[in-house]
């Protein structure tokens, strides 16, 4: 799972990144960022830890979210800024989900932006950039297809179908409607998947510097936001930079109950609809990330493409049953292991072992 932080310059993306990263990065305030920071944030999961106690495995591998902290979107209206925004957005297209970081604190750092906070205006701005960027992609492709259809090229018949889908998308963009509401069949879905439209991906909005996000945060925006959260990234980044033994007192003083990384992971899991399943044994106890509704064969493919190809059956049990039984032998004695076919929907917290013919 690749999660990109997306926001205007100075919204606090790098501060959020430093609040959740294992190794914070240097980011002097006011110096324009040019590189994208990338780090994997571990998913801390007490259920997996309980499984570790049973196997005391050689290797212990929690799930992880790959988080990207790119430069902010340059805000100007000049041609140069427009191009920089286009380049940046096209690089971020292949993330799986986005956390839109909006500034909800006063900042005098970037004089070309207003110093006062107006998080809702900044959010509307971000949404606008994403819709525009999607529109441009769709329009460019549609132009090519119109040309091909007019010239009756060899692919004209197929191109006509793709064009009709794109024209429906373009109409939605123009009317400011949410693409997620477009009714499409499976084949059409496949056709538009390759465009990697921002507007079809899960979005979590993060109000940075706010105690709480306003309830009407997404009123009037053209994209459905899956979820909203808030953080005081500056305090959380300070906390994350501290020695572990100093943290509890600080957390108590600021009324922080769990680390920013744990909260971030929980919010992203919720917004994207992520689930975890586990593989266990003496060699390794490990968690894997899937989407709600994913089948056993999809889960197998996360572990290895060969396992999906040669899939025969999945041995499955809820991790709670193992914890209750105490070990695998007792679980087997209780007939606690089920055999499931390819289309079994893997449940959060399932332990899965794939039987494969390859
Ligand atoms: N008051 C306050 N300042 C913040 C917060 N988050 C970030 N900042 C400050 O805002 C400035 C820009 O932050 P930065 O993370 O570099 O923004 P980026 O451009 O989005 O990566 C820095 O001076 C931060 O210290 C916050 O939650 N509260
Ligand atoms: Mg930054």
């Amino acid at each position: 799972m690749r999660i990109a932080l997306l926001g205007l310059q100075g919204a606090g993306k790098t501060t959020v990144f430093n609040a959740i990263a294992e190794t914070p990065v240097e980011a002097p305030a006011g110096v324009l960022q040019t590189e994208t920071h990338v780090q994997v944030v571990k998913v801390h999961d007490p259920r997996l830890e309980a499984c570790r106690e049973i196997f005391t495995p050689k290797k212990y591998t929690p799930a992880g979210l790959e988080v990207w902290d790119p430069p902010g979107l340059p805000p100007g209206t000049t041609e140069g800024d427009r191009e920089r925004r286009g380049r940046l957005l096209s690089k971020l297209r292949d993330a799986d989900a986005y956390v839109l970081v909006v500034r909800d604190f006063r900042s005098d750092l970037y004089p070309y932006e207003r110093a006062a906070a107006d998080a809702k205006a900044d959010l509307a701005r971000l949404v606008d950039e994403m819709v525009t960027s999607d529109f441009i992609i769709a329009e460019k492709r549609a132009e090519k297809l119109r040309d091909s259809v007019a010239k009756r090229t060899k692919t004209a018949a197929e191109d006509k179908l793709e064009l009709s889908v794109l024209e429906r998308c373009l109409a939605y963009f123009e009317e400011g409607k949410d693409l997620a509401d477009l009714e499409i069949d499976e084949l059409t879905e496949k056709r538009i998947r390759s465009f990697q439209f921002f507007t079809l991906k899960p979005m979590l909005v993060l109000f940075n510097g706010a105690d709480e996000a306003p309830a009407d945060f997404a009123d009037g925006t053209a994209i459905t936001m899956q979820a909203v959260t808030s953080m005081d990234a500056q305090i959380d980044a300070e906390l994350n930079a501290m020695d572990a033994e100093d943290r509890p007192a600080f957390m108590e003083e600021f009324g922080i109950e769990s680390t920013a990384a744990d909260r971030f992971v929980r919010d992203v899991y919720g917004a994207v609809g992520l689930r975890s399943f586990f593989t266990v044994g003496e060699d390794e106890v490990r968690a894997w990330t899937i989407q709600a509704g994913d089948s056993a064969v999809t889960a197998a493919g996360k572990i290895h493409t060969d396992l999906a190809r040669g899939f025969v059956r999945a041995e499955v049990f809820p991790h709670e049953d193992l914890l209750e039984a105490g070990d695998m032998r007792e679980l087997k004695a209780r007939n606690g292991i089920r055999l499931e076919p390819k289309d079994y929907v893997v449940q959060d917290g399932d332990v899965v072992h794939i039987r494969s013919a390859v």
Side-chain angles (χ1 to χ4, degrees):
M1 251 309 130
R2 293 157 305 176
I3 312 295
L5 305 179
L6 194 66
L8 302 176
Q9 286 169 356
K13 294 175 296 303
T14 300
T15 313
V16 169
F17 186 80
N18 279 344
I20 62 175
E22 210 158 83
T23 322
V25 296
E26 285 288 333
V31 175
L32 274 194
Q33 185 181 333
T34 52
E35 299 297 319
T36 296
H37 309 123
V38 179
Q39 244 175 84
V40 174
V41 175
K42 282 194 195 126
V43 177
H44 164 220
D45 190 338
R47 301 172 303 173
L48 191 70
E49 283 161 12
C51 293
R52 171 168 61 177
E53 302 219 329
I54 290 181
F55 294 94
T56 48
K58 293 193 196 96
K59 212 169 151 200
Y60 176 73
T61 318
L65 292 178
E66 185 179 305
V67 180
W68 302 353
D69 169 37
L73 290 178
T77 49
T78 60
E79 194 54 36
D81 267 8
R82 230 192 307 269
E83 270 169 26
R84 275 190 287 277
R85 278 200 294 274
R87 270 202 302 276
L88 188 63
L89 286 173
S90 71
K91 272 197 217 151
L92 298 178
R93 238 174 226 293
D94 43 342
D96 300 302
Y98 300 91
V99 174
L100 307 181
V101 179
V102 289
R103 172 166 65 89
D104 207 355
F105 55 90
R106 188 184 167 81
S107 171
D108 297 300
L109 266 187
Y110 301 95
Y112 40 78
E113 282 180 51
R114 85 186 108 61
D118 188 347
K120 282 179 70 176
D122 287 353
L123 177 61
R125 175 79 200 275
L126 284 181
V127 169
D128 202 42
E129 292 294 347
M130 289 188 287
V131 174
T132 306
S133 171
D134 284 355
F135 180 86
I136 291 171
I137 293 237
E139 182 53 36
K140 270 193 190 146
R141 177 72 184 154
E143 242 168 67
K144 273 209 188 106
L145 295 172
R146 279 184 209 116
D147 202 44
S148 152
V149 172
K151 287 188 184 139
R152 302 188 185 196
T153 62
K154 260 193 249 156
T155 56
E158 169 64 19
D159 288 350
K160 209 168 164 178
L161 289 174
E162 190 182 333
L163 182 60
S164 77
V165 175
L166 279 176
E167 294 200 313
R168 281 169 68 201
C169 294
L170 285 166
Y172 262 61
F173 290 139
E174 271 167 5
E175 290 164 29
K177 288 205 268 189
D178 189 350
L179 217 51
D181 297 333
L182 189 71
E183 275 179 31
I184 44 176
D185 54 34
E186 215 171 303
L187 185 69
T188 312
E189 205 268 326
K190 268 199 189 127
R191 280 203 180 96
I192 61 174
R193 198 182 300 156
S194 61
F195 295 113
Q196 298 262 43
F197 286 137
F198 284 110
T199 40
L200 285 178
K201 292 200 183 154
M203 305 271 169
L204 167 68
V205 184
L206 191 157
F207 279 74
N208 184 28
D211 286 336
E212 226 178 313
D216 61 349
F217 74 98
D219 279 6
T221 56
I223 307 180
T224 308
M225 305 292 162
Q226 272 70 16
V228 63
T229 188
S230 64
M231 191 186 271
D232 195 322
Q234 208 159 35
I235 291 178
D236 277 311
E238 270 174 48
L239 175 66
N240 196 30
M242 266 179 195
D243 291 335
E245 61 264 30
D246 297 336
R247 274 183 210 152
F250 185 91
M251 284 172 80
E252 195 171 329
E253 186 185 340
F254 284 90
I256 302 172
E257 276 167 19
S258 51
T259 65
D262 284 351
R263 280 178 275 135
F264 183 88
V265 163
R266 185 199 61 206
D267 291 337
V268 169
Y269 264 62
V272 184
L274 298 178
R275 303 285 183 267
S276 298
F277 75 91
F278 309 138
T279 51
V280 299
E282 260 105 57
D283 285 335
E284 188 179 27
V285 165
R286 178 164 182 171
W288 307 81
T289 309
I290 50 171
Q291 304 247 28
D294 276 352
S295 66
V297 71
T298 305
K302 299 275 168 193
I303 304 172
H304 202 290
T305 45
D306 284 350
L307 285 184
R309 238 177 349 113
F311 188 100
V312 179
R313 281 276 185 277
E315 297 173 11
V316 181
F317 54 89
H319 77 282
E320 294 96 332
D321 290 3
L322 170 65
L323 299 184
E324 214 182 277
D327 59 29
M328 287 302 288
R329 191 192 306 203
E330 176 59 22
L331 184 70
K332 278 181 199 148
R334 296 179 181 185
N335 273 330
I337 304 177
R338 309 189 313 266
L339 283 181
E340 298 285 2
K342 275 187 180 178
D343 61 356
Y344 167 71
V345 175
V346 176
Q347 302 298 303
D348 192 44
D350 270 355
V351 178
V352 175
H353 176 78
I354 307 294
R355 287 193 191 166
S356 167
V358 177

